[in-house]
Amino acid sequence: MNDQPGLRARDLRGVGVSPGLAAGPVARLGAAPVEPSRETLPPGADVDAEAARVRAAAEEVAAGLETAATTVEGQARELLETTAQMARDPSLVKTAARRVRADRLTAARGVWEAAGTVAEQLRALGGYMAERAQDVTDVRNRIVAVLTGTALPGVPTRAEPFVLVAQDLAPADTALLDPARVRAIVTAEGGPTSHTAILARSLGIPAVVALAGALDALPEGRAVLVDGGAGTVRLDPDADDLARAAVAAGRRRSFDGRGRTADGHEVALLANVGDARGAEAAAAAGAEGIGLFRTEFCFLDRAEEPSVADQTAAYREVLAHFPGRKVVVRTLDAGADKPLPFLTDTAEANPALGVRGLRTARRSPAVLDHQLEAIAAAAAAEEAQVWVMAPMVATVAEAESFVAACAAHGLDRSGVMVEVPAAALLAGPILARAHFASVGTNDLTQYVMAADRLLGPLADLSDSWQPAVLRLVEETCRGGAQQSRPVGVCGEAAADPALAVVLVGLGVATLSMTPRAIPDVAAVLAATDLQRCRELARAAVDAESAEEGRARVRAGLPVLAELAL
């Protein structure tokens, strides 16, 4: 339980990462099977029959995944179908069966070892292929579960909607997160910028992460109320709690296409997208434009740099969805967690502080030049208002060089990402050169707090409500005001309705987020005048902790409770 001020005796406190109110019974994520013993088969055992069990189990897993794929759409369906194909991979099945025969292993142990070898080979390749190692592990766990007669790992199937509780969610688990079945998510690990948090926001599922002891406190079937805005989980909700959750579940907000405060101060509400499909969804949600177009999708899973023609065609597909409206294109953010074999060095001792983002142009300037050429060609062919920005800018000289490179290609609206604290502190002189700045709160928080944003134990530090982070946002806005240049935010912080109020109060002109969050952010801003935004921003910046700042702001925004946010 939790005895913090403001909490009831049966309330648990975690980190709220996706606003909303939802109630339901707990359903636990299926655990991975225990590693099978390496004991050999007893004398006289039918080795061929044991080897045949491998193929039968793999086929059962593949068929189950294909059936599940028919219940979902889009990327989730593609992921499940791809995983089914992996389960049927003849090399995996044959290698496992061979180990069973050669070493007289059980079928489960043969699969475990064969999949482990494949996963290690993928990890050694690095980059996108290394990420596929997790998929192999997921398939291994499913086949072993079938062979050992244990429950399948992953998102459970229940007759009624439920609250999913887990230590954390692997990327493969997310494919079956259907908002119609999963009312809320609670994890013991994760942080505000973990993949679980990002996915929950994109699906509109209330979520609380970093709730210590979640697995002990939330047993299967227990009724809970999850408040993804406040970051609380209430055990055994009463009738009033359930009524509030029911009202919240039935509420559907829309966006009229114009972000503004209660007194008419305009705040453009834009979308973060990664490809043409994302741009289509953003346009359907009524986004006023795109505040962050991640161009990495053109480069991932490639051994060589894509051609200018290929890039141009891909960028045009995104720009075509926003004729006459702003689209901010971020140049390639390779490095760190997105290594590319033709551009980055996977042997860097500390890649998060290494050659990433704009810094890759130091060793491979042609890649940036080709990308700017492609962006310019796409902009000329489409009607969108194209702005271009570079990630990981840290100095005035870097900003000046990037602006010049854009100008050489006829791109006259060039800006910088503010992710490095140095860029925030030098915002004035940087914005004397660049035309705009966009704060990437995910990385800015990581660098300010010296905390890996994907590391669960540091979730309290990986929080954009940290006063030190907000002070750097304020400093960036001050530099923008000095040069009459706009400052936006395109990190996950923009999707938090309460934090959006603070950002506007600090002077942020545009907020870019997952399309699903736009109506909620718009509703809270529309109920808050600019002066109140400034007062709440001051309260958050002057707080001594993220928890204190969040509590002050939420207490000053009664509209959050009214909207179940």
Side-chain angles (χ1 to χ4, degrees), residues 171-199:
D173 296 328
T174 62
L176 288 174
L177 289 183
D178 178 1
R181 297 192 306 123
V182 181
R183 285 181 172 167
I185 300 169
V186 180
T187 63
E189 298 180 358
T193 56
S194 65
H195 66 267
T196 300
I198 293 171
L199 178 84

Side-chain angles (χ1 to χ4, degrees), residues 1-4 6-12 233-235:
M1 300 302 168
N2 200 313
D3 59 359
Q4 294 183 42
L7 293 181
R8 296 189 188 179
R10 64 182 193 278
D11 285 353
L12 306 175
V233 177
R234 176 165 296 167
L235 303 173

Side-chain angles (χ1 to χ4, degrees), residues 31-37 50 53-54 56-61 87 92 96 106-116 136-153:
V34 175
E35 179 177 350
S37 167
E50 187 69 10
R53 292 182 65 218
V54 173
E59 179 59 34
E60 182 176 334
V61 168
L92 175 61
T106 64
R109 184 66 200 188
V111 169
W112 190 276
E113 292 190 3
V136 173
T137 300
D138 179 49
V139 166
R140 177 203 70 186
N141 290 344
R142 292 173 181 274
I143 296 175
V144 169
V146 169
L147 289 167
T148 57
T150 55
L152 285 174

